[in-house]
Structures are given as C-alpha cells and as structure tokens.
C-alpha cells in the first residue's frame, strides 16, 4: 500500500493531505508525554506558571519506554493507550500541539478539537516496542526529570511508522473498522 | 515420595522464565503470526502484521523487550503435596526473583503499591501469585507477563443458567468490539465458563496458559472455541483495531462445575504479544 513520508514540523499543508487510514513514516522531532506529564502541565497552567518548553506545532507521543541499556538510546518504546489523555486534549490543543501519537480510540471532544484546530491523531503500533525503538535516533529529557520514564523527552525519529487514526476532517479509522459478524 | 527443593532453584527458574518471555516468542506463536499474515486481506492489516512480526525478530536478536509495558508478573504454582520447600518464604523468593529480573534485564517497572495513592514500588513487585496443591512431589511454574491495556478490557457476566450458548458468544463478540484497538489485537482470548465469579475469571486467565495450538479436549468445547474465533474474526476489528480479518489469533476455554443458579462467563484478553512460559522443577 501507499506510504506517505512526513518531515516535521507538521505544517497545515501536510495535515490537509492526511486522511484516515494513511500509513505514514515520520522523520523529525517528537515530544513524549503520558499521564503524569499531562497532569503536571495542567497543574502548572492552573497555578499560573510558565511551562519549561514550547508546545507550538509539536507532535506529542504517548510513551513510557523501558529503561535504556548502557550504551543504548532508549529501550522498548511503543505507544500507550491514548484515551487516558483525552481529558487533557483542550489544554494541549490550546498550547498549540498539531498532532498526537498513541494507540486506540479518542473521545468525541478530542475528535471535535482535532477538527477545530486542524490537527491529526496518529496511532502507532501497540506492542511493537522493540521495532519502534530502532526508529528513535536520539532521546533527551527536556522537563520533569523527576517523573523518570514519564518525563518529557525530546526524540528524533527516522521513518517512524504511524497510521492516521483521526484526520482534520473528523474521520475516525476505528469507526470504519468494526461491524457485527452476523 | 517426599522431595525437597530450595527456593534458590525456584528463583533461578523464575528469572529465566521472565527473561525468555520478555524477549523471545516461541515457534508456535511465530507460526500463528505467519498464518495470520498469509490469510489477511486488508492491506493496512497486512502491513501491521508485518511490523508485529518484525518486532518479534528485533526483540529476540537485539534483546529489546517485545513491549515497553513489560507487564504484571503473574505466577501460577502447582505445588506437589509431597514437596518440601526450604530456604526463604516462597512468596518472598518469587518476589525477589521478579525484582532481580526486572532490574537486570532493563524491564519497565509498572506496579504501584496502592491502587488509589499510586506510588510505583520501583521493582515490579509484588507479583500476582496463584498456588494450587496437586498430587505428587513436583513443582510446575507458569509465568505470564500481562500488559495493562489488555487486562483493562477483561469482562465478567453472570448469565442465567438457561441462557443459550448463542448469548454467550454474543457477549464475547460485544466485548471484543467494545475493546476495539485498546487491548492490541490480534488477541489471545481466554474464556472461563462456570465456577463462581472469581474462579471463572481465574480460569479465563489459566486458559491462556495452554499451548496456542491446543484445543479443548472435549469436542463440545473445541467446537465452541472454533465458533467463537470465527465470530470474533468477522467483527472487522483487525490487527491493532485498524480493520481486518484477524481480530483474534486463538480462543481457549476453561470450564468449571457451577451452582444450579449460576453461569458465570469471564473473558480475559491477551494482546498479540503473548508472553508466557512454563518450567517444571
């Protein structure tokens, strides 16, 4: 099947051409955040504090890797379940993110916001942690280092495979997939 | 005849089981993936299966865990009644083996000490330990490493005993559809039928310990396993929930006698990364 190549940063041109079900390979920068990093971002905002990083036009990857072995860049690093981050979607879009990478369905609000902010939700390949780790070329913690594997990491990836799960037109791959057997 | 073993032997065995399950996929599971790739019809589903198969190869060759969710360590111990265990307290020995393995093999530690206050223990312990006393003087250890995503999609329903088998199949189909992409299909489905609410769920999990190519010895349940698999694979969920004909790889049923008023059915879902192993001491 057709493979699309994406280089970051994500521009409106790129996002307009992405459609639900597309298999894409991303090269460039991702920022990691999962449950606790999102919680920390929300807490800092409500306390009126400034975030130690800029999320404008960034791609957020929901991942909590295994510890890197000595000499390795990162351990197994596949996506975690995205729905746990659904209730942070309004804050994250407001901060300017353009895409999220995780796995599984999103709630209706996240879907609406994906349309409103002309963004995209990618699913990567759950349980392909070893495969995906080989596509990560560098990793460094840029904030919240006390959160260990849940700290915010800046990753550079090469040909990192993702599928467009919700596009900016509001189409959702998981709604197309399922039908009753009989 | 009475026999004695030391907990050091048990610890060594458990560490090896964890290492093997975290990095190495057994040939019979690789065969299942090859079959699924062979019969898959949707292009994106085939691409997905290719990536999962390549993941299996990379994990084994490069010693990278199959998944970053290295799971809860779940242990089933069948202890012979005539076996004497010396050394540490058995559960301490098991937990120490789990902690050592997760540290030494650079596995992710995913256990919190308290379900509501949620502070990580940092060791992936405690393990979840089930013991059965069996005749003889042997010790069989089954290990399962289970990720959170698939465990979260478990389901239990207490059916009316007069309910038709069709309704049970519907329940399983509904559960797989509702779970969709979250448990990382293609799934290995464990189905516990009968017993009490708790034994049904335990049997659902124990069903997953069977060899993937093994069917239920009773033809009635073997046929039901086949029927459930066919139905689930018609849902369209597919690999990773992107759509396709391979929503589940295998269905295993484990049954138990039940109360005249009860028909519990429990479903334990395992993701495509079936990480388990068995050793006999």
């Amino acid at each position: 099947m057709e493979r699309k190549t994406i280089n970051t940063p994500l521009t409106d041109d790129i996002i307009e051409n992405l459609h639900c079900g597309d298999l894409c390979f991303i090269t460039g920068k991702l920022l990691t955040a999962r449950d606790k990093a999102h919680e920390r971002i929300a807490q800092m905002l409500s306390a009126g504090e400034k975030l130690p990083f800029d999320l404008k036009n960034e791609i957020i990857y929901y991942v909590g890797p295994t510890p890197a072995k000595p000499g390795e860049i990162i351990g197994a690093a596949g996506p975690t379940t995205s729905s746990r981050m659904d209730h942070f979607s309004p804050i994250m879009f407001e901060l300017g993110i353009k895409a999220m990478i995780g796995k599984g369905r999103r709630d209706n609000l996240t879907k609406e916001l994906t349309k409103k902010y002309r963004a995209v939700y990618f699913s990567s390949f759950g349980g392909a942690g070893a495969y995906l780790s080989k596509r990560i070329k560098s990793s460094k913690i840029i904030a919240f280092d006390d959160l260990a594997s849940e700290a915010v990491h800046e990753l550079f990836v090469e040909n990192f495979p993702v599928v467009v799960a919700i596009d900016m037109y509001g189409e959702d791959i998981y709604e197309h997939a399922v039908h009753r057997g009989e | 005849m009475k026999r004695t073993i030391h907990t050091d032997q048990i610890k060594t065995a458990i560490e090896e089981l964890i290492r093997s399950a975290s990095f190495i996929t057994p040939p019979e599971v690789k065969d299942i993936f090859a079959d699924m790739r062979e019969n898959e019809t949707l292009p994106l589903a085939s691409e997905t299966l290719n990536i999962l198969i390549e993941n299996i190869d990379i994990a084994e060759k490069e010693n990278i865990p199959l998944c970053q969710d290295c799971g809860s360590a779940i242990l089933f111990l069948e202890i012979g009644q005539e076996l004497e265990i010396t050394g540490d307290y058995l559960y301490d020995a098991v937990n120490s083996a789990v902690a050592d393995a997760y540290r030494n093999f650079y596995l992710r530690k995913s256990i919190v000490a308290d379900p509501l206050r949620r502070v990580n223990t940092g060791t992936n312990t405690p393990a979840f330990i089930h013991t059965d006393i069996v005749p003889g003087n042997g010790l069989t250890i089954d290990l399962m490493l289970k990720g959170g995503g698939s465990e979260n999609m478990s389901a239990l329903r207490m059916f009316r005993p007069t309910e038709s088998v069709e309704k049970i199949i519907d329940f399983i189909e509904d559960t797989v559809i509702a779970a969709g992409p979250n448990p990382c299909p293609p799934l290995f489905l464990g189905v516990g039928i009968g017993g009490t609410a708790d034994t049904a769920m335990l049997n659902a999990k124990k069903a997953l310990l069977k060899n993937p190519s093994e069917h239920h010895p009773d033809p009635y349940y073997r046929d039901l396993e086949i029927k459930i698999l066919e139905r689930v694979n018609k849902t369209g969920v597919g690999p990773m929930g992107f759509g396709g004909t391979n929503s589940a790889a295998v269905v295993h049923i484990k049954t138990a006698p039940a109360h005249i008023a009860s028909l519990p059915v429990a479903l334990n879902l395992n993701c495509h990364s079936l990480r388990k192993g068995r050793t006999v001491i």
Side-chain angles (χ1 to χ4, degrees):
Chain A
M1 69 181 287
E2 194 202 343
R3 293 151 181 254
K4 289 188 174 172
T5 302
I6 295 177
N7 292 298
T8 68
L10 281 181
T11 59
D12 287 347
D13 282 357
I14 296 173
I15 293 172
E16 278 166 18
N17 283 308
L18 296 177
H19 296 277
C20 166
D22 287 352
L23 176 61
C24 307
F25 289 82
I26 300 177
T27 296
K29 183 169 78 160
L30 312 178
L31 296 181
T32 74
R34 50 174 288 160
D35 308 61
K36 282 187 178 166
H38 279 82
E39 190 179 41
R40 182 76 59 88
I41 289 168
Q43 283 166 353
M44 289 181 77
L45 290 181
S46 67
E49 295 171 43
K50 193 178 180 314
L51 293 183
F53 45 82
D54 186 3
L55 289 177
K56 196 160 173 49
N57 296 329
E58 297 292 354
I59 304 174
I60 297 294
Y61 181 25
Y62 303 140
V63 61
T66 61
K69 280 184 288 185
E72 300 282 333
I73 295 164
I74 199 167
T80 192
T81 304
S82 307
S83 59
R84 294 196 315 272
M85 268 56 77
D86 279 344
H87 61 292
F88 296 109
S89 296
I91 292 174
M92 298 301 280
F93 281 119
E94 190 58 36
L95 288 166
I97 67 162
K98 271 294 173 189
M100 302 161 293
I101 305 174
K103 70 178 177 84
R105 297 190 190 106
R106 306 309 303 258
D107 66 1
N108 286 331
L109 177 61
T110 302
K111 257 186 244 185
E112 280 166 30
L113 293 173
T114 304
K115 257 171 102 170
K116 179 180 165 195
Y117 287 92
R118 302 172 68 78
V120 58
Y121 166 56
F122 297 110
S123 169
S124 193
F125 297 84
Y131 176 101
L132 293 169
S133 78
K134 303 301 289 179
R135 306 290 169 118
I136 296 170
K137 301 304 171 184
S138 74
S139 167
K140 71 169 185 201
I141 293 181
I142 60 163
F144 310 157
D145 54 352
D146 57 305
L147 299 182
S149 78
E150 295 205 38
V152 175
H153 292 66
E154 182 185 81
L155 307 181
F156 280 91
V157 298
E158 255 176 45
N159 293 316
F160 190 89
V162 296
V163 172
V164 177
I166 301 172
D167 59 29
M168 62 168 268
Y169 309 101
E171 291 297 311
D172 178 348
I173 192 170
Y174 302 119
E175 280 177 14
H176 291 291
V178 174
H179 50 83
R180 277 201 150 264
E182 290 188 352
Chain B
M1 197 175 69
K2 202 171 156 189
R3 189 169 76 106
T4 302
I5 58 170
H6 193 274
T7 45
D8 284 350
Q9 245 181 299
I10 298 171
K11 282 165 71 171
T12 307
I14 291 174
E15 283 175 47
E16 174 52 24
L17 283 172
I18 293 172
R19 189 196 65 78
S20 167
S22 299
F23 302 100
I24 298 165
T25 302
E28 60 271 21
V29 176
K30 286 181 183 166
D31 289 347
I32 289 174
F33 272 87
D35 287 348
M36 290 194 291
R37 179 167 57 180
E38 194 66 28
N39 68 33
E40 183 56 62
T41 50
L42 289 182
L44 182 56
S46 300
E47 297 274 8
T48 301
L49 289 168
N50 282 335
I51 286 176
L52 300 185
I53 289 168
E54 204 177 321
N55 186 62
I56 287 171
D57 294 340
I58 291 172
E60 186 168 335
K61 283 193 194 111
E62 305 209 21
N63 261 319
I64 304 171
L66 283 154
C67 181
Q68 74 289 337
D69 185 346
C70 302
S72 305
I74 305 170
L75 286 124
F76 300 88
L77 308 178
E78 286 190 349
I79 305 167
Q81 187 169 291
E82 294 166 67
L83 181 71
E84 182 189 33
I85 297 169
T86 59
D88 299 328
Y89 169 52
L90 177 61
Y91 281 33
D92 288 346
V94 171
N95 283 319
S96 131
V98 170
D100 286 352
Y102 274 72
R103 187 182 60 247
N104 295 339
F105 304 134
Y106 296 92
L107 303 175
R108 201 184 76 189
K109 292 86 182 166
S110 309
I111 302 297
V112 294
D114 180 279
L116 296 181
R117 286 166 291 194
R118 308 203 71 83
V119 177
N120 197 306
T121 62
T123 57
N124 216 55
T125 63
F128 300 96
I129 306 170
H130 303 281
T131 52
D132 283 311
I133 304 297
V134 297
N137 61 12
L139 173 65
T140 302
I141 304 171
D142 274 294
L143 166 85
M144 202 174 175
L145 303 180
K146 193 119 187 327
S150 66
E151 186 69 9
N152 284 347
M153 298 297 118
S154 306
L156 170 75
R157 185 175 295 173
M158 307 302 283
F159 281 88
R160 274 189 296 115
T162 51
E163 203 65 273
S164 71
V165 174
E166 276 305 309
K167 289 278 189 258
I168 292 176
I169 301 175
D170 288 346
F171 163 64
I172 294 169
E173 186 186 29
D174 290 345
T175 304
V176 170
I177 290 174
N182 289 0
C184 288
L187 302 170
F188 292 81
L189 281 179
V191 185
I193 305 179
T196 50
D198 50 330
T199 48
M201 189 53 85
L202 188 58
N203 279 337
K205 196 162 251 126
K206 281 184 174 177
L208 291 168
L209 300 175
K210 292 183 193 177
N211 187 313
S213 61
E214 184 186 335
H215 268 299
H216 199 286
D218 178 342
Y220 177 84
Y221 285 107
R222 183 197 61 215
D223 291 349
L224 187 55
E225 286 174 343
I226 293 167
K227 199 168 175 187
I228 293 168
L229 183 63
E230 280 173 5
R231 275 284 285 281
V232 166
N233 282 336
K234 280 184 191 163
T235 57
V237 170
M240 293 311 304
F242 297 146
T245 51
N246 288 290
S247 305
V250 166
V251 175
H252 288 303
I253 295 175
K254 192 167 169 61
T255 59
H259 188 276
I260 48 170
S262 296
L263 174 51
V265 177
L267 203 54
N268 200 236
L269 283 61
N270 203 98
C271 63
H272 61 76
S273 196
L274 182 67
R275 289 163 291 171
K276 68 185 183 79
R278 174 176 299 166
T279 194
V280 180
I281 299 176

